[in-house]
Amino acid sequence: MRRLTRTVAAAALAATLALVAGCSGDDKSDAGGGDGKALQKVTYLTSFGNFGRDSYAWVAKEKGFFKEAGFDVEIKPGQGTGMVIQTVVGGQADFGPIDLTGGLLQLGNGAAKDFVAVAAIQQRTMAAVVSVEGKNIATPKDLEGKKLADTQTSVVRLLFPTYARLAGVDASKVTFVNGEAQTLMGMLGAGTVDGIGQFVVGQPTVQAVTKKKPVVLPYSDVMTDLYGNALITSSKLAKEKPEMVKSFTAALLKGLAYALANPQEAADLLKKNVAATVPAAAAAELQLMAAYVRSSNSGTAIGTLDSERVAKSIALLQGAGALKTTITPDQIIDFSLTPKA
């Protein structure tokens, strides 16, 4: 009887310990980061909808890079540069990528303030007007008399007057209508517009949606030295929590590097979270984007930003009459927080 009592007691103790251990493991998994501390909640906006080019954020989340850095990240779809800036500055999101040139235009023309860039996503601008065969568009001049669709605050739309001036296009002869990030390609496919604001890496997705061969007019053909997307946060957060900003940036860039090295896996992870994803097109977007993320200017490092290059971008915009006020690189970039080459 004594042995039976000891056996039952031991079994009960073992079961209790197992239950406690199991609960502790679950709590740590759900609420703790790599060091066991509670995860800090962060809201992140994509740059423009949920396409392959933005899948690296989902990769950072699904592969545990955010969690290892101590973050519980909610990812929401952005609608272009202006909207991302407004949402981050307004406190509804903590981080998001914007086209850096679009950010310069917003800052230099008094449309936005109180935000800073902390890392480059692409070293060259990917902004472009995209059409399809059959629209009689082959050169920038062919855009005159045509109807284009874009979100109201997209960099393609914000930068179009400067692009048109440098490309010899009469911008007054080009009509823009409003669209949403996820519906623009459908508008192009339906034939209601002649072209859309888009990134050059969107070609595979445009072809998948429209069933037609894309025609691409990259802004980089007439505007060199412009950066592409850059990660931003609010000036307030950058000042008050610089180490937190650095940690988040590092985790996001780790996701970017992984996505570029494993485009199909990244596309599948995006599909897991965004049902409308076409994995083949998403993977193709990442393959095209790889050449924009690293350049001879950045060496092998991802995320670097160069003050002299930003100054050249500002000078280009000023020379084209696109900026109302004089600004400096330090006004839009916190170089103390950016990755080093």
Side-chain angles (χ1 to χ4, degrees), residues 47 80-82 85 96-112 115-117 119-128 153-166 199 218-232 292 305-306 309-325 327-329 332-333:
S47 65
T81 293
I85 293 174
I98 66 165
D99 187 279
L100 187 60
T101 306
L104 291 171
L105 290 171
Q106 293 270 294
L107 182 64
N109 292 321
F115 69 95
V116 289
I121 302 299
Q122 294 105 22
Q123 293 289 321
R124 291 185 292 136
T125 182
M126 300 196 303
T153 58
S154 162
V155 68
V156 176
R157 192 164 179 172
L158 294 173
L159 196 52
F160 185 78
T162 304
Y163 168 75
R165 188 178 297 113
L166 295 173
F199 280 171
Y219 281 16
S220 60
D221 284 351
V222 297
M223 293 184 286
T224 59
D225 278 323
L226 299 185
Y227 278 95
N229 279 355
L231 179 68
I232 68 161
Y292 289 82
L305 285 161
D306 180 78
R309 276 193 64 200
V310 178
K312 288 180 180 179
S313 298
I314 293 171
L316 184 150
L317 295 174
Q318 288 176 330
L323 296 178
K324 295 178 181 178
T325 62
I327 57 176
T328 64
I332 194 169
I333 298 168

Side-chain angles (χ1 to χ4, degrees), residues 125-185:
T125 182
M126 300 196 303
V129 172
V130 177
S131 184
V132 290
E133 287 187 336
K135 294 292 185 179
N136 297 318
I137 296 175
T139 69
K141 191 70 175 175
D142 297 330
L143 295 174
E144 294 181 359
K146 300 297 194 298
K147 183 190 296 184
L148 308 179
D150 203 352
T151 62
Q152 288 183 294
T153 58
S154 162
V155 68
V156 176
R157 192 164 179 172
L158 294 173
L159 196 52
F160 185 78
T162 304
Y163 168 75
R165 188 178 297 113
L166 295 173
V169 177
D170 185 346
S172 68
K173 295 181 179 179
V174 181
T175 301
F176 270 92
V177 297
N178 297 332
E180 298 297 322
Q182 298 294 143
T183 62
L184 291 175
M185 295 181 191

Side-chain angles (χ1 to χ4, degrees), residues 55-57 59-61 65 250-260 266:
S55 61
Y56 56 89
V59 169
K61 183 171 183 174
F65 303 153
L252 183 69
L253 294 181
K254 187 175 180 180
L256 176 60
Y258 191 96
L260 297 178

Side-chain angles (χ1 to χ4, degrees), residues 196-241:
I196 58 175
Q198 192 60 230
F199 280 171
V200 293
V201 297
Q203 297 175 62
T205 307
V206 169
Q207 186 158 357
V209 172
T210 66
K211 311 302 181 185
K212 296 179 181 178
K213 184 177 180 180
V215 175
V216 183
L217 301 176
Y219 281 16
S220 60
D221 284 351
V222 297
M223 293 184 286
T224 59
D225 278 323
L226 299 185
Y227 278 95
N229 279 355
L231 179 68
I232 68 161
T233 188
S234 67
S235 300
K236 184 176 185 291
L237 188 61
K239 181 179 180 180
E240 295 179 355
K241 297 183 178 181

